[in-house]
Short mmCIF file of all heavy atoms in Angstrom, two decimals:
data_model
loop_
_atom_site.label_atom_id
_atom_site.label_comp_id
_atom_site.label_asym_id
_atom_site.label_seq_id
_atom_site.Cartn_x
_atom_site.Cartn_y
_atom_site.Cartn_z
N TYR A 24 100.35 108.08 99.06
CA TYR A 24 101.48 107.50 99.72
C TYR A 24 101.55 107.92 101.14
O TYR A 24 101.14 109.03 101.51
CB TYR A 24 102.74 107.92 99.02
CG TYR A 24 102.89 107.39 97.56
CD1 TYR A 24 102.92 108.23 96.47
CD2 TYR A 24 102.98 106.03 97.32
CE1 TYR A 24 103.06 107.75 95.20
CE2 TYR A 24 103.11 105.50 96.09
CZ TYR A 24 103.13 106.36 95.00
OH TYR A 24 103.24 105.87 93.76
N SER A 25 102.08 107.05 101.97
CA SER A 25 102.36 107.38 103.38
C SER A 25 103.70 108.13 103.44
O SER A 25 104.60 107.81 102.69
CB SER A 25 102.48 106.10 104.23
OG SER A 25 101.29 105.34 104.15
N LYS A 26 103.78 109.01 104.44
CA LYS A 26 105.02 109.73 104.65
C LYS A 26 106.06 108.77 105.21
O LYS A 26 105.75 108.00 106.17
CB LYS A 26 104.81 110.90 105.59
CG LYS A 26 106.04 111.67 105.88
CD LYS A 26 105.75 113.17 105.85
CE LYS A 26 107.01 113.96 106.24
NZ LYS A 26 108.01 114.02 105.26
N MET A 27 107.23 108.77 104.66
CA MET A 27 108.34 107.96 105.14
C MET A 27 109.40 108.89 105.77
O MET A 27 110.02 109.63 105.00
CB MET A 27 108.88 107.09 103.97
CG MET A 27 107.92 106.07 103.48
SD MET A 27 108.57 105.14 102.06
CE MET A 27 109.99 104.43 102.73
N LYS A 28 109.53 108.81 107.03
CA LYS A 28 110.42 109.74 107.67
C LYS A 28 111.89 109.33 107.56
O LYS A 28 112.19 108.13 107.25
CB LYS A 28 110.09 109.77 109.19
CG LYS A 28 108.69 110.22 109.47
CD LYS A 28 108.46 110.44 110.96
CE LYS A 28 108.66 109.21 111.80
NZ LYS A 28 108.29 109.30 113.18
N ASP A 29 112.79 110.24 107.86
CA ASP A 29 114.21 109.90 107.97
C ASP A 29 114.39 109.31 109.38
O ASP A 29 113.89 109.83 110.36
CB ASP A 29 115.07 111.13 107.86
CG ASP A 29 115.06 111.73 106.48
OD1 ASP A 29 115.08 110.90 105.55
OD2 ASP A 29 115.11 112.92 106.32
N TYR A 30 115.07 108.22 109.46
CA TYR A 30 115.33 107.55 110.72
C TYR A 30 116.83 107.54 110.97
O TYR A 30 117.60 107.49 110.00
CB TYR A 30 114.80 106.13 110.80
CG TYR A 30 113.31 106.06 110.97
CD1 TYR A 30 112.45 106.08 109.91
CD2 TYR A 30 112.75 106.01 112.25
CE1 TYR A 30 111.05 106.01 110.07
CE2 TYR A 30 111.37 105.94 112.44
CZ TYR A 30 110.57 105.92 111.36
OH TYR A 30 109.19 105.89 111.49
N THR A 31 117.21 107.49 112.23
CA THR A 31 118.63 107.31 112.54
C THR A 31 118.76 106.02 113.40
O THR A 31 117.77 105.48 113.78
CB THR A 31 119.18 108.53 113.30
OG1 THR A 31 118.52 108.52 114.60
CG2 THR A 31 118.95 109.80 112.60
N VAL A 32 119.94 105.68 113.73
CA VAL A 32 120.25 104.46 114.53
C VAL A 32 119.58 104.66 115.92
O VAL A 32 119.23 103.68 116.49
CB VAL A 32 121.74 104.24 114.60
CG1 VAL A 32 122.10 103.07 115.50
CG2 VAL A 32 122.34 104.02 113.23
N GLN A 33 119.52 105.85 116.37
CA GLN A 33 118.97 106.11 117.73
C GLN A 33 117.41 105.91 117.75
O GLN A 33 116.83 105.77 118.83
CB GLN A 33 119.27 107.56 118.23
CG GLN A 33 120.74 107.71 118.60
CD GLN A 33 121.64 107.94 117.34
OE1 GLN A 33 121.16 108.36 116.27
NE2 GLN A 33 122.90 107.64 117.46
N ASP A 34 116.73 105.96 116.63
CA ASP A 34 115.28 105.82 116.61
C ASP A 34 114.94 104.40 116.80
O ASP A 34 115.59 103.48 116.33
CB ASP A 34 114.73 106.35 115.27
CG ASP A 34 114.89 107.82 115.07
OD1 ASP A 34 114.70 108.56 116.04
OD2 ASP A 34 115.24 108.24 113.92
N VAL A 35 113.82 104.17 117.55
CA VAL A 35 113.29 102.84 117.72
C VAL A 35 112.08 102.70 116.78
O VAL A 35 111.12 103.39 116.92
CB VAL A 35 112.83 102.56 119.16
CG1 VAL A 35 112.23 101.22 119.34
CG2 VAL A 35 114.02 102.82 120.13
N PRO A 36 112.24 101.85 115.77
CA PRO A 36 111.20 101.79 114.80
C PRO A 36 109.94 101.12 115.46
O PRO A 36 110.00 100.12 116.15
CB PRO A 36 111.69 100.82 113.68
CG PRO A 36 113.13 100.67 113.99
CD PRO A 36 113.41 101.08 115.36
N LEU A 37 108.76 101.73 115.19
CA LEU A 37 107.52 101.17 115.62
C LEU A 37 106.84 100.58 114.45
O LEU A 37 107.30 100.53 113.34
CB LEU A 37 106.73 102.27 116.27
CG LEU A 37 107.39 103.03 117.45
CD1 LEU A 37 106.52 104.15 117.92
CD2 LEU A 37 107.65 102.05 118.59
N ALA A 38 105.60 100.02 114.71
CA ALA A 38 104.86 99.35 113.64
C ALA A 38 104.65 100.30 112.43
O ALA A 38 104.72 99.91 111.28
CB ALA A 38 103.47 98.90 114.15
N ASP A 39 104.47 101.60 112.69
CA ASP A 39 104.26 102.57 111.58
C ASP A 39 105.46 102.64 110.66
O ASP A 39 105.33 102.84 109.46
CB ASP A 39 103.89 103.95 112.18
CG ASP A 39 103.51 104.92 111.08
OD1 ASP A 39 102.58 104.55 110.31
OD2 ASP A 39 104.17 105.95 110.88
N PHE A 40 106.65 102.41 111.21
CA PHE A 40 107.88 102.44 110.40
C PHE A 40 107.79 101.35 109.31
O PHE A 40 108.02 101.58 108.13
CB PHE A 40 109.07 102.16 111.31
CG PHE A 40 110.37 101.84 110.61
CD1 PHE A 40 111.28 102.85 110.33
CD2 PHE A 40 110.71 100.55 110.33
CE1 PHE A 40 112.45 102.58 109.66
CE2 PHE A 40 111.93 100.25 109.70
CZ PHE A 40 112.77 101.26 109.42
N PHE A 41 107.42 100.17 109.72
CA PHE A 41 107.32 99.02 108.81
C PHE A 41 106.09 99.18 107.85
O PHE A 41 106.19 98.87 106.66
CB PHE A 41 107.29 97.70 109.55
CG PHE A 41 108.50 97.51 110.42
CD1 PHE A 41 108.42 97.85 111.80
CD2 PHE A 41 109.70 97.10 109.94
CE1 PHE A 41 109.57 97.71 112.61
CE2 PHE A 41 110.81 96.93 110.75
CZ PHE A 41 110.78 97.22 112.12
N ASN A 42 105.01 99.63 108.42
CA ASN A 42 103.76 99.73 107.64
C ASN A 42 103.90 100.78 106.55
O ASN A 42 103.27 100.62 105.48
CB ASN A 42 102.59 100.02 108.52
CG ASN A 42 102.23 98.84 109.40
OD1 ASN A 42 102.46 97.70 109.00
ND2 ASN A 42 101.59 99.06 110.58
N SER A 43 104.60 101.87 106.79
CA SER A 43 104.66 102.91 105.78
C SER A 43 105.43 102.41 104.53
O SER A 43 105.02 102.64 103.39
CB SER A 43 105.35 104.22 106.29
OG SER A 43 106.67 103.98 106.61
N VAL A 44 106.48 101.55 104.74
CA VAL A 44 107.16 100.94 103.64
C VAL A 44 106.24 99.99 102.93
O VAL A 44 106.11 100.04 101.69
CB VAL A 44 108.46 100.19 104.09
CG1 VAL A 44 109.05 99.38 102.99
CG2 VAL A 44 109.49 101.22 104.65
N GLU A 45 105.51 99.15 103.65
CA GLU A 45 104.62 98.16 103.03
C GLU A 45 103.55 98.82 102.25
O GLU A 45 103.16 98.40 101.19
CB GLU A 45 104.07 97.23 104.16
CG GLU A 45 105.13 96.37 104.85
CD GLU A 45 105.63 95.12 104.12
OE1 GLU A 45 105.03 94.80 103.05
OE2 GLU A 45 106.54 94.49 104.62
N ARG A 46 102.88 99.88 102.83
CA ARG A 46 101.77 100.57 102.16
C ARG A 46 102.23 101.28 100.93
O ARG A 46 101.63 101.26 99.90
CB ARG A 46 101.13 101.58 103.11
CG ARG A 46 100.19 100.96 104.10
CD ARG A 46 99.36 102.04 104.83
NE ARG A 46 100.22 102.94 105.61
CZ ARG A 46 100.48 102.82 106.87
NH1 ARG A 46 99.99 101.73 107.58
NH2 ARG A 46 101.20 103.64 107.53
N ASN A 47 103.46 101.93 100.98
CA ASN A 47 103.96 102.59 99.80
C ASN A 47 104.36 101.61 98.71
O ASN A 47 104.12 101.90 97.51
CB ASN A 47 105.13 103.47 100.17
CG ASN A 47 104.68 104.73 100.92
OD1 ASN A 47 103.55 105.24 100.68
ND2 ASN A 47 105.45 105.16 101.86
N LEU A 48 104.89 100.50 99.06
CA LEU A 48 105.26 99.47 98.14
C LEU A 48 103.95 98.95 97.44
O LEU A 48 103.98 98.76 96.20
CB LEU A 48 106.02 98.31 98.82
CG LEU A 48 106.58 97.22 97.92
CD1 LEU A 48 107.58 97.82 96.90
CD2 LEU A 48 107.32 96.22 98.80
N GLN A 49 102.96 98.67 98.18
CA GLN A 49 101.76 98.19 97.59
C GLN A 49 101.08 99.25 96.68
O GLN A 49 100.66 98.95 95.59
CB GLN A 49 100.69 97.86 98.68
CG GLN A 49 99.42 97.27 98.18
CD GLN A 49 98.41 96.90 99.29
OE1 GLN A 49 98.42 97.60 100.34
NE2 GLN A 49 97.67 95.91 99.07
N ALA A 50 101.15 100.51 97.09
CA ALA A 50 100.56 101.55 96.28
C ALA A 50 101.27 101.74 94.96
O ALA A 50 100.63 101.81 93.88
CB ALA A 50 100.53 102.88 97.04
N VAL A 51 102.59 101.74 94.94
CA VAL A 51 103.33 101.90 93.72
C VAL A 51 103.18 100.66 92.83
O VAL A 51 103.08 100.81 91.62
CB VAL A 51 104.83 102.30 94.00
CG1 VAL A 51 105.63 101.10 94.39
CG2 VAL A 51 105.37 103.01 92.79
N ALA A 52 103.10 99.49 93.44
CA ALA A 52 102.91 98.20 92.68
C ALA A 52 101.56 98.29 91.94
O ALA A 52 101.47 97.96 90.73
CB ALA A 52 102.98 97.01 93.53
N GLN A 53 100.52 98.70 92.67
CA GLN A 53 99.18 98.79 92.03
C GLN A 53 99.13 99.85 90.95
O GLN A 53 98.44 99.70 89.98
CB GLN A 53 98.14 98.96 93.07
CG GLN A 53 97.91 97.76 93.94
CD GLN A 53 97.00 98.01 95.15
OE1 GLN A 53 96.73 99.18 95.60
NE2 GLN A 53 96.45 96.95 95.73
N ALA A 54 99.87 100.95 91.16
CA ALA A 54 99.86 102.02 90.25
C ALA A 54 100.56 101.67 88.90
O ALA A 54 100.16 102.07 87.84
CB ALA A 54 100.46 103.27 90.83
N VAL A 55 101.61 100.87 89.00
CA VAL A 55 102.40 100.56 87.83
C VAL A 55 101.89 99.33 87.12
O VAL A 55 101.44 99.35 86.00
CB VAL A 55 103.89 100.38 88.21
CG1 VAL A 55 104.72 99.87 87.01
CG2 VAL A 55 104.44 101.64 88.75
N GLN A 56 101.98 98.18 87.82
CA GLN A 56 101.50 96.98 87.20
C GLN A 56 101.44 95.90 88.36
O GLN A 56 102.49 95.38 88.73
CB GLN A 56 102.40 96.45 86.09
CG GLN A 56 101.85 95.23 85.41
CD GLN A 56 102.68 94.93 84.12
OE1 GLN A 56 103.24 95.79 83.52
NE2 GLN A 56 102.62 93.71 83.71
N ASP A 57 100.25 95.69 88.91
CA ASP A 57 100.13 94.79 90.03
C ASP A 57 100.24 93.37 89.63
O ASP A 57 99.47 92.86 88.84
CB ASP A 57 98.75 95.04 90.70
CG ASP A 57 98.76 94.61 92.15
OD1 ASP A 57 99.83 94.25 92.68
OD2 ASP A 57 97.68 94.61 92.72
N HIS A 58 101.24 92.70 90.06
CA HIS A 58 101.45 91.26 89.74
C HIS A 58 100.81 90.41 90.84
O HIS A 58 100.78 90.78 92.01
CB HIS A 58 103.02 90.91 89.72
CG HIS A 58 103.68 91.56 88.53
ND1 HIS A 58 103.65 91.03 87.29
CD2 HIS A 58 104.45 92.70 88.47
CE1 HIS A 58 104.31 91.75 86.42
NE2 HIS A 58 104.79 92.78 87.14
N GLU A 59 100.37 89.24 90.47
CA GLU A 59 99.74 88.35 91.37
C GLU A 59 100.64 87.95 92.58
O GLU A 59 100.23 87.80 93.67
CB GLU A 59 99.32 87.07 90.60
CG GLU A 59 98.49 86.09 91.42
CD GLU A 59 98.03 84.91 90.63
OE1 GLU A 59 97.33 85.09 89.59
OE2 GLU A 59 98.44 83.79 91.01
N GLN A 60 101.92 87.83 92.32
CA GLN A 60 102.83 87.42 93.34
C GLN A 60 103.17 88.51 94.34
O GLN A 60 103.83 88.28 95.34
CB GLN A 60 104.13 86.78 92.76
CG GLN A 60 105.06 87.79 92.11
CD GLN A 60 104.84 87.99 90.60
OE1 GLN A 60 103.75 87.71 90.14
NE2 GLN A 60 105.85 88.49 89.91
N TYR A 61 102.82 89.77 93.99
CA TYR A 61 103.08 90.87 94.97
C TYR A 61 102.27 90.66 96.21
O TYR A 61 101.05 90.50 96.13
CB TYR A 61 102.77 92.20 94.39
CG TYR A 61 103.77 92.65 93.29
CD1 TYR A 61 103.43 93.81 92.52
CD2 TYR A 61 104.96 92.02 93.07
CE1 TYR A 61 104.32 94.26 91.56
CE2 TYR A 61 105.79 92.48 92.12
CZ TYR A 61 105.51 93.59 91.37
OH TYR A 61 106.36 94.03 90.39
N ARG A 62 102.91 90.75 97.38
CA ARG A 62 102.15 90.68 98.60
C ARG A 62 102.88 91.55 99.62
O ARG A 62 104.12 91.60 99.67
CB ARG A 62 101.95 89.23 99.06
CG ARG A 62 103.23 88.53 99.40
CD ARG A 62 103.07 87.02 99.48
NE ARG A 62 104.26 86.42 100.10
CZ ARG A 62 105.50 86.39 99.56
NH1 ARG A 62 105.73 87.03 98.49
NH2 ARG A 62 106.50 85.80 100.16
N THR A 63 102.11 92.28 100.37
CA THR A 63 102.66 93.05 101.45
C THR A 63 102.03 92.64 102.79
O THR A 63 101.08 91.86 102.81
CB THR A 63 102.41 94.57 101.21
OG1 THR A 63 101.01 94.78 101.04
CG2 THR A 63 103.16 95.02 99.94
N LYS A 64 102.56 93.21 103.87
CA LYS A 64 102.09 92.91 105.19
C LYS A 64 101.70 94.19 105.92
O LYS A 64 102.16 95.23 105.57
CB LYS A 64 103.18 92.17 105.97
CG LYS A 64 103.53 90.82 105.49
CD LYS A 64 104.61 90.20 106.42
CE LYS A 64 104.92 88.80 106.06
NZ LYS A 64 105.93 88.18 106.92
N ILE A 65 100.88 94.00 106.98
CA ILE A 65 100.60 95.12 107.83
C ILE A 65 101.01 94.59 109.27
O ILE A 65 100.65 93.50 109.68
CB ILE A 65 99.08 95.51 107.81
CG1 ILE A 65 98.74 96.03 106.41
CG2 ILE A 65 98.72 96.47 108.88
CD1 ILE A 65 99.45 97.34 106.04
N PHE A 66 101.65 95.44 109.99
CA PHE A 66 102.17 95.14 111.33
C PHE A 66 101.34 95.86 112.40
O PHE A 66 100.94 97.00 112.21
CB PHE A 66 103.61 95.47 111.39
CG PHE A 66 104.51 94.70 110.51
CD1 PHE A 66 104.80 95.16 109.23
CD2 PHE A 66 105.02 93.45 110.88
CE1 PHE A 66 105.58 94.42 108.37
CE2 PHE A 66 105.83 92.69 110.02
CZ PHE A 66 106.09 93.15 108.77
N SER A 67 101.14 95.15 113.50
CA SER A 67 100.52 95.75 114.67
C SER A 67 101.59 95.86 115.78
O SER A 67 102.58 95.14 115.75
CB SER A 67 99.39 94.85 115.17
OG SER A 67 98.35 94.78 114.22
N PRO A 68 101.41 96.76 116.74
CA PRO A 68 102.37 96.85 117.85
C PRO A 68 102.58 95.49 118.42
O PRO A 68 101.65 94.62 118.63
CB PRO A 68 101.67 97.79 118.86
CG PRO A 68 100.83 98.65 117.98
CD PRO A 68 100.29 97.74 116.85
N ASN A 69 103.79 95.18 118.77
CA ASN A 69 104.28 93.94 119.37
C ASN A 69 104.30 92.72 118.41
O ASN A 69 104.55 91.59 118.82
CB ASN A 69 103.45 93.59 120.65
CG ASN A 69 103.63 94.73 121.66
OD1 ASN A 69 104.74 95.24 121.88
ND2 ASN A 69 102.59 95.01 122.33
#
């Protein structure tokens, strides 16, 4: 799993913010029961 930090309103989320959620979601889905309709995304800066 990717580390998911605590964020506050003052933090500006970068691509890593979104990617850590997406990677963790994909990892837990594959570990439990990967459904065909599950899809995640990877974000690049900008």
